[in-house]
Amino acid sequence: MTAFARRELKADWGTAVWEVRSVNQRFLETYFRLPEQFKSMEPVLRERFRKQLQRGKVECSLRFVANDAAAGKLNLNESLAKQVMKAADWVQSHGQSAGVNPLDVLRWPGVISAEETDMDGIQADVLAEFDLTLTDFIASRATEGNNLKAMIEQRLDGISGEVEKVTANMPDVIKWQREKIQGRFEEAKIELDPARVEQEMVMLAQKVDVAEELDRLLSHISETQKILKKGGAVGRRLDFMMQEFNRESNTLGSKSINTDITQSAVELKVLIEQMREQIANIE
């Protein structure tokens, strides 16, 4: 299911921008683009996606810009610096040095140090912003889901209309088939036992009777509407219903002996395929 969400967080330590997008995918796949100092968050992010989503190819990216002005301040070890300078003065007094460069003193290990950046605190802030981004992303998918739901309901209405059409035509179809066979017998001047003719007609009517398939199609429509109304992660259940719809429409087409019923069977296949294509995108 397609969706997109973006949030920007500004704090003393800098700026972080989350972007999450998804495209249609039968199963869930997550991809991350994270700065090196945030790589350790990937398992946590992946698990949060897994708890919220079941389908989709999801891409998640984080852009981080540190605030140089907020970088940890420098600390000077004055005691060590004095020792280094005293030692340098002693060396100079014995004619072994031309003078002491203050920068050389500062470069001496331990003389100066920088406060470490509180990455744990920054990661906590960034992760909290991710949760808000994920909420926006889920809402975006829900909007797309509602649009797909409306489309599927329209196709279900179309299937219901075709079922009603075939149901209304069946008595005329049976009558037409009966008259057609009787006409052929008369043309061939074949005299058959009326009881046997009636028996054959009943058997033929049973072969072309699609009442059971029509009832099942109506049942599938009702069940699909219940699934849509229930909401949540329903994609796989709807996949199964599309298989059931296809099974009944195929049987209806194989029993067709009339162009009107054939056209309805074809229209059913079109409507079912349109639903199946979109259901592949539903969570």
Side-chain angles (χ1 to χ4, degrees):
M1 187 178 299
T2 57
F4 175 78
R6 181 183 187 275
R7 289 186 71 93
E8 180 177 348
L9 174 64
K10 293 184 177 181
D12 293 339
W13 41 257
T15 303
V17 179
W18 283 108
E19 286 190 359
V20 181
R21 67 183 75 238
S22 70
V23 294
N24 303 329
Q25 176 80 7
R26 189 173 182 83
F27 303 100
L28 178 63
E29 293 183 15
T30 51
Y31 301 89
F32 298 92
R33 293 196 300 274
L34 306 175
E36 189 62 34
Q37 61 267 48
F38 294 95
K39 289 287 187 180
S40 61
M41 294 171 54
E42 183 170 328
V44 177
L45 302 177
R46 194 180 303 277
E47 179 63 16
R48 296 193 181 187
F49 275 124
R50 189 192 65 79
K51 289 182 177 180
Q52 295 280 354
L53 310 175
Q54 292 189 2
R55 286 183 169 184
K57 181 179 180 181
V58 182
E59 296 182 0
C60 175
S61 64
L62 171 63
R63 183 166 58 85
F64 176 76
V65 179
N67 183 3
D68 294 336
K73 65 179 182 178
L74 298 178
N75 294 319
L76 176 64
N77 188 334
E78 294 184 12
S79 175
L80 179 59
K82 289 178 180 179
Q83 294 180 44
V84 173
M85 293 178 65
K86 184 177 181 180
D89 289 340
W90 183 88
V91 172
Q92 184 179 7
S93 66
H94 288 75
Q96 301 298 317
S97 173
V100 180
N101 187 334
L103 291 179
D104 292 335
V105 175
L106 294 177
R107 292 192 187 101
W108 190 269
V111 170
I112 193 169
S113 62
E115 291 184 354
E116 293 186 1
T117 303
D118 182 15
M119 285 305 301
D120 289 341
I122 295 176
Q123 287 191 5
D125 293 343
V126 171
L127 190 58
E129 191 69 13
F130 169 79
D131 289 337
L132 297 176
T133 308
L134 181 57
T135 299
D136 293 345
F137 177 72
I138 297 299
S140 176
R141 283 169 64 97
T143 300
E144 179 70 11
N146 288 332
N147 294 335
L148 293 178
K149 178 183 176 183
M151 186 281 296
I152 293 172
E153 288 174 339
Q154 291 177 353
R155 302 306 186 273
L156 292 175
D157 290 341
I159 292 175
S160 180
E162 294 301 325
V163 169
E164 292 177 2
K165 187 187 301 183
V166 173
T167 301
N169 286 340
M170 281 310 298
D172 293 336
V173 171
I174 299 298
K175 180 180 178 181
W176 170 79
Q177 183 69 3
R178 183 187 186 96
E179 293 174 351
K180 180 179 178 181
I181 293 177
Q182 287 179 336
R184 289 180 177 177
F185 285 155
E186 292 174 359
E187 289 176 2
K189 297 180 180 181
I190 298 175
E191 293 184 6
L192 298 175
D193 179 14
R196 178 61 184 275
V197 172
E198 188 63 27
Q199 183 180 8
E200 293 294 333
M201 292 297 180
V202 171
M203 293 176 63
L204 177 62
Q206 291 176 344
K207 290 181 180 180
V208 299
D209 183 23
V210 293
E212 184 176 355
E213 286 74 18
L214 298 177
D215 288 342
R216 287 177 179 167
L217 283 170
L218 291 176
S219 176
H220 296 338
I221 291 173
S222 177
E223 181 62 24
T224 303
Q225 289 171 337
K226 289 180 181 178
I227 294 173
L228 291 173
K229 185 176 181 180
K230 181 178 180 181
V234 298
R236 288 184 172 83
R237 279 178 285 179
L238 291 175
D239 278 340
F240 173 76
M241 294 308 304
M242 293 307 103
Q243 296 175 21
E244 297 299 304
F245 272 114
N246 266 321
R247 182 177 293 110
E248 303 308 329
S249 65
N250 288 336
T251 304
L252 179 65
S254 67
K255 290 185 175 181
S256 175
I257 58 174
N258 176 277
T259 56
D260 290 336
I261 296 180
T262 300
Q263 290 176 357
S264 290
V266 172
E267 182 63 21
L268 285 174
K269 295 289 288 184
V270 172
L271 293 169
I272 294 168
E273 181 61 20
Q274 289 175 345
M275 287 194 298
R276 189 195 64 77
E277 290 177 351
Q278 295 304 323
I279 285 172
N281 306 328
I282 294 180
E283 177 70 18

